[in-house]
Amino acid sequence: FFEIFNEPVLQSWLHDIRPYEQDIVKVIRKRTNNLIICGTRLWSQEVDVASEHPLEGSLNVAYTLHFYAASHREGLRQKARAALGSGVVLFVTEWGTCSADGDGDVDLHEARLWLNFLAEHNISDANWAVGDKDEACSALVAGASEEGGWASKAGRHTVLTSSGRFARESLRAFAEGRDEKVIADGASQPCRTSLLWVFIAAAMLAWTLGRPRLSH
């Protein structure tokens, strides 16, 4: 797929972002009908504003929503509901378990609420980040091997951070057809959650391809 504008900030949706993305969509459509994901205003949060004036020719076009669980809560989900109610398709191309700066406290409770929300509305997502940088959003502890092999012989996955364990267990639950959520120590308890998390891009990004329904 194509994500054509990463995190616009204060530009106008109507006068700046939308016209630019409309032009890019026209160029891409000359060559392929693959999914195009359009960035939205204010670090890809104002999906409700974009949904009021969507791009023309919206076949296989989605609008991106970014969230970090410790910073973005029900207020942002309300924006997402408004956008969905307007008939647009959303794709969460970046989310984290921590604060919006990629660090700070990990909020797994709020992350569960978000994942349940995404599952409820069939919204695909991409978790940030598969890396060993010393910050809360990293899935790996500092110094983890870039060649993988992250499971210890005892199966305790000691190279995974709390965020990494949460994402890993969410992936495994989805892949194995289990209904469960992850608690802070990596164990699980019953709850409906759906996430498919794929490690890509040389330990920098994971994306989820498990929730289709992106065309309308």
Side-chain angles (χ1 to χ4, degrees):
F1 63 77
F2 301 84
E3 184 170 1
I4 58 178
F5 196 159
N6 181 52
E7 293 194 341
V9 185
L10 298 178
Q11 300 94 330
S12 164
W13 170 255
L14 270 180
H15 301 295
D16 300 311
I17 303 170
R18 183 180 183 274
Y20 165 78
E21 294 188 323
Q22 191 73 71
D23 288 344
I24 298 299
V25 167
K26 290 178 181 177
V27 172
I28 294 173
R29 284 292 175 255
K30 292 178 181 179
R31 294 165 173 79
T32 178
N33 288 320
N34 283 353
L35 172 65
I36 299 173
I37 305 174
C38 298
T40 55
R41 189 176 181 274
L42 203 63
W43 294 279
S44 289
Q45 295 174 45
E46 291 192 351
V47 289
D48 54 336
V49 174
S51 73
E52 295 171 358
H53 300 280
L55 274 66
E56 298 175 2
S58 58
L59 178 64
N60 219 19
V61 169
Y63 298 83
T64 189
L65 175 69
H66 289 180
F67 71 84
Y68 281 82
S71 298
H72 308 123
R73 303 173 187 270
E74 181 59 25
L76 187 54
R77 288 192 288 273
Q78 291 288 7
K79 287 179 176 287
R81 290 188 185 95
L84 293 169
S86 296
V88 302
V89 176
L90 300 183
F91 193 131
V92 174
T93 59
E94 180 180 325
W95 69 268
T97 60
C98 56
S99 299
D101 62 357
D103 208 1
D105 294 331
V106 171
D107 191 339
L108 298 186
H109 171 73
E110 193 66 31
R112 291 182 205 112
L113 294 179
W114 270 109
L115 293 188
N116 289 338
F117 175 82
L118 301 185
E120 177 186 356
H121 296 285
N122 297 299
I123 299 173
S124 294
D125 61 277
N127 173 257
W128 186 266
V130 184
D132 67 344
K133 184 178 179 180
D134 186 17
E135 61 182 14
C137 71
S138 296
L140 306 172
V141 299
S145 171
E146 70 271 15
E147 297 181 359
W150 300 321
S152 68
K153 292 182 179 180
R156 293 181 56 83
H157 310 286
T158 54
V159 298
L160 298 181
T161 63
S162 59
S163 182
R165 290 194 298 272
F166 178 85
R168 179 181 184 276
E169 288 303 316
S170 296
L171 166 63
R172 292 176 68 87
F174 184 89
E176 296 171 8
R178 290 183 280 120
D179 289 338
E180 66 178 42
K181 67 182 177 182
V182 181
I183 57 179
D185 63 359
S188 60
Q189 54 187 338
C191 183
R192 185 175 182 83
T193 298
S194 178
L195 175 68
L196 180 58
W197 193 49
V198 182
F199 287 171
I200 63 169
M204 283 301 296
L205 182 65
W207 32 52
T208 341
L209 305 174
R211 289 185 283 278
R213 305 186 193 175
L214 293 171
S215 301
H216 77 98

